[in-house]
Amino acid sequence: MASFVIAGFFLNRRPAIHTSTFVTRRPPSLIRTGSQAATRRRFTLRAESDDRKSHLQQFETPKWDVKVLYDGDCPVCLKEIRFLRWMDEKNRRIGFQDITSPLYNPEENSGIDYTTAMREIHAVLPDGRVITGMEVFRMLYAAIGLGWIYAPTGWPILRPLFDKLYEFFAKNRLTLTGRRCDEACELRSTPTEAQETQIPTAKMTGRSS
């Protein structure tokens, strides 16, 4: 009988539960309100977004060596521009600007307006300098690795001849290409200060070879 009493005593006795043993204490560094966590999350996402934009801008921003201003209504010019675009598709060393575009802005192209650009071909260098005439072709073809094609046009003995030939074409290209002859046909190329600032093609040719 005594054994049953003792067994019942132990069976009916429940261990004392201390609620303090079930309390989980978080390190102070992890205690943060919901608003603080949300703010930190937004800041992280914004920083990641800015990093992605900066990374993309490195590829979207053209870093050309020379920008050519061309007549988008000239069929002969467009054939050459298409060829240059195709050859420069990988390296992107050439910038292309159509002077007939309604968005053309002279201020973004060293102050060259439409009338001036129509007299002869112009190109702009990254530092803002302007080159004209055959020098433009020499630089463009040097940029795509074919500088040797136009190299003879820069030789002292042949340069005057090629300059005269291009000058004749520039003055009469509208008629020669079958376009309407209007006031633009009367445009005549005149020596400009930019021609005196032409940079040597040897530097460009050597870089692309």
Side-chain angles (χ1 to χ4, degrees):
M1 183 67 180
S3 60
F4 286 104
V5 173
I6 295 173
F9 172 79
F10 283 104
L11 289 173
N12 292 329
R13 186 178 179 183
R14 297 179 179 177
I17 299 176
H18 300 284
T19 57
S20 61
T21 60
F22 291 90
V23 176
T24 302
R25 297 183 180 276
R26 301 174 65 184
S29 60
L30 297 180
I31 299 176
R32 188 179 292 113
T33 63
S35 61
Q36 290 175 327
T39 301
R40 184 177 181 83
R41 178 61 178 167
R42 286 195 298 269
F43 177 82
T44 302
L45 292 174
R46 188 179 305 162
E48 292 174 353
S49 177
D50 291 340
D51 289 343
R52 284 194 296 270
K53 289 180 180 177
S54 299
H55 179 69
L56 290 174
Q57 286 175 352
Q58 295 177 1
F59 301 95
E60 293 174 354
T61 304
K63 296 182 179 180
W64 39 263
D65 294 333
V66 55
K67 178 168 66 173
V68 58
L69 311 184
Y70 66 94
D71 178 5
D73 292 333
C74 172
V76 175
C77 305
L78 286 180
K79 287 182 180 180
E80 190 152 23
I81 290 298
R82 292 192 189 102
F83 172 73
L84 291 169
R85 282 184 184 275
W86 178 64
M87 290 294 295
D88 191 53
E89 185 176 1
K90 182 178 179 181
N91 296 323
R92 293 190 176 185
R93 296 179 61 184
I94 302 175
F96 298 90
Q97 177 61 62
D98 183 358
I99 62 173
T100 65
S101 169
L103 300 179
Y104 179 73
N105 185 1
E107 294 181 359
E108 297 176 357
N109 297 280
S110 296
I112 304 171
D113 57 29
Y114 173 80
T115 302
T116 302
M118 282 292 289
R119 291 193 178 106
E120 60 181 332
I121 192 168
H122 288 68
V124 180
L125 302 182
D127 60 6
R129 286 181 295 164
V130 176
I131 57 175
T132 60
M134 290 301 297
E135 182 69 15
V136 175
F137 295 102
R138 285 189 283 268
M139 291 198 67
L140 292 176
Y141 277 79
I144 61 174
L146 298 177
W148 55 271
I149 294 178
Y150 275 88
T153 68
W155 295 349
I157 226 175
L158 297 176
R159 183 166 186 161
L161 173 62
F162 283 105
D163 286 346
K164 286 294 182 181
L165 289 174
Y166 173 74
E167 183 180 355
F168 173 81
F169 171 78
K171 289 179 179 179
N172 301 278
R173 65 185 178 87
L174 296 179
T175 303
L176 293 174
T177 56
R179 296 169 64 187
R180 179 183 175 184
C181 188
D182 51 18
E183 293 180 359
C185 295
E186 302 301 324
L187 293 175
R188 294 292 182 267
S189 62
T190 56
T192 61
E193 206 175 355
Q195 290 176 314
E196 300 177 359
T197 60
Q198 294 177 351
I199 62 176
T201 53
K203 183 177 181 181
M204 281 289 295
T205 306
R207 206 171 95 184
S208 60
S209 58

